[in-house]
Amino acid sequence: DAGVIQSPRHEVTEMGQEVTLRCKPISGHDYLFWYRQTMMRGLELLIYFNNNVPIDDSGMPEDRFSAKMPNASFSTLKIQPSEPRDSAVYFCASSDRAEKLFFGSGTQLSVL
Amino acid sequence: RKEVEQDPGPFNVPEGATVAFNCTYSNSASQSFFWYRQDCRKEPKLLMSVYSSGNEDGRFTAQLNRASQYISLLIRDSKLSDSATYLCVVTSGFQKLVFGTGTRLLVSP
């Protein structure tokens, strides 16, 4: 298996633009997580899905953030409009039992 | 108060040294505990689970103290390749993992 695949690896955008991050989980994993990592706050859970259904989105910072999982093999995290404070590394992770997480390589987002 | 707290370090140790990290958590209802390792500019990877009775994996030993709500990781005979950030992880609620901000370890020749 190729592992969790995220795209793009790097995204540079201007404030106010829409940003879409993509994730393909490991086949057969029922759980999918979106995390954000910054130096100051570490890894923060934004939202997680079980069987494509959002279970806990309490970590989503505000309405500018939205996440979808239309099927078992694809998820998106969208930021609209983006702001400089959204700059971070965004990780997607999947799991078959929500304990051992397999992370993707992350998307380094820079909002200018 | 943060749900999971760790000393950020860095811990600078020579090769062969023994080093220990501690982590405290605030949610007494947490059921599962883990240590993850993150190399610079890479994704986190599971290092080991932490069991109530303590557990060992080669040079690594993890301990859990539920009464005091802390977790420890001991690394014996440090290698250069052990240089990384070590993340303490606890469950918070159903199937939700909360990560500490990590402790950075630098092992020098």
Side-chain angles (χ1 to χ4, degrees):
Chain A
D1 200 319
V4 176
I5 299 172
Q6 289 188 247
S7 64
R9 288 296 305 274
H10 303 275
E11 176 81 30
V12 180
T13 190
E14 292 186 346
M15 183 174 64
Q17 296 298 306
E18 178 180 296
V19 174
T20 300
L21 311 182
R22 297 173 176 79
C23 175
K24 176 178 168 53
I26 293 173
S27 177
H29 281 188
D30 296 333
Y31 293 89
L32 184 138
F33 303 80
W34 282 101
Y35 282 88
R36 176 173 69 176
Q37 187 173 38
T38 61
M39 288 292 292
M40 291 298 295
R41 301 171 68 92
L43 267 167
E44 299 174 283
L45 177 64
L46 301 177
I47 185 172
Y48 79 92
F49 296 82
N50 178 218
N51 292 321
N52 312 338
V53 176
I55 302 300
D56 186 340
D57 65 354
S58 60
M60 297 286 262
E62 45 198 278
D63 292 344
R64 297 185 297 106
F65 286 69
S66 62
K68 293 182 180 179
M69 192 165 185
N71 57 63
S73 59
F74 184 65
S75 177
T76 60
L77 178 68
K78 187 174 291 187
I79 308 173
Q80 167 64 21
S82 58
E83 297 183 3
R85 60 194 168 118
D86 302 331
S87 298
V89 180
Y90 290 80
F91 285 105
C92 174
S94 71
S95 173
D96 60 357
R97 59 177 189 268
E99 291 185 347
K100 182 176 182 179
L101 301 187
F102 292 84
F103 284 82
S105 300
T107 294
Q108 174 75 59
L109 174 64
S110 298
V111 183
L112 308 178
Chain B
R1 182 185 172 189
K2 288 183 181 177
E3 201 161 349
V4 180
E5 298 210 52
Q6 295 183 250
D7 181 341
F11 284 59
N12 290 284
V13 302
E15 265 186 301
T18 294
V19 61
F21 310 133
N22 289 328
C23 159
T24 58
Y25 61 95
S26 61
N27 186 352
S28 60
S30 294
Q31 293 294 316
S32 300
F33 309 88
F34 311 90
W35 284 100
Y36 275 68
R37 170 191 168 130
Q38 186 173 23
D39 293 303
C40 188
R41 298 184 185 280
K42 297 286 189 180
E43 70 274 20
K45 293 182 180 179
L46 178 65
L47 178 66
M48 59 195 302
S49 301
V50 186
Y51 303 120
S52 297
S53 55
N55 51 299
E56 192 174 302
D57 183 2
R59 298 181 294 108
F60 298 81
T61 301
Q63 296 276 355
L64 168 64
N65 184 319
R66 285 189 184 273
S68 301
Q69 295 182 207
Y70 80 78
I71 306 152
S72 65
L73 177 67
L74 182 78
I75 305 175
R76 292 181 299 278
D77 188 22
S78 299
K79 311 291 185 190
L80 295 176
S81 57
D82 294 334
S83 297
T85 296
Y86 291 84
L87 303 166
C88 175
V89 186
V90 307
T91 54
S92 174
F94 185 68
Q95 307 288 25
K96 183 175 175 178
L97 296 188
V98 179
F99 284 74
T101 51
T103 298
R104 191 171 169 209
L105 172 65
L106 299 172
V107 182
S108 54

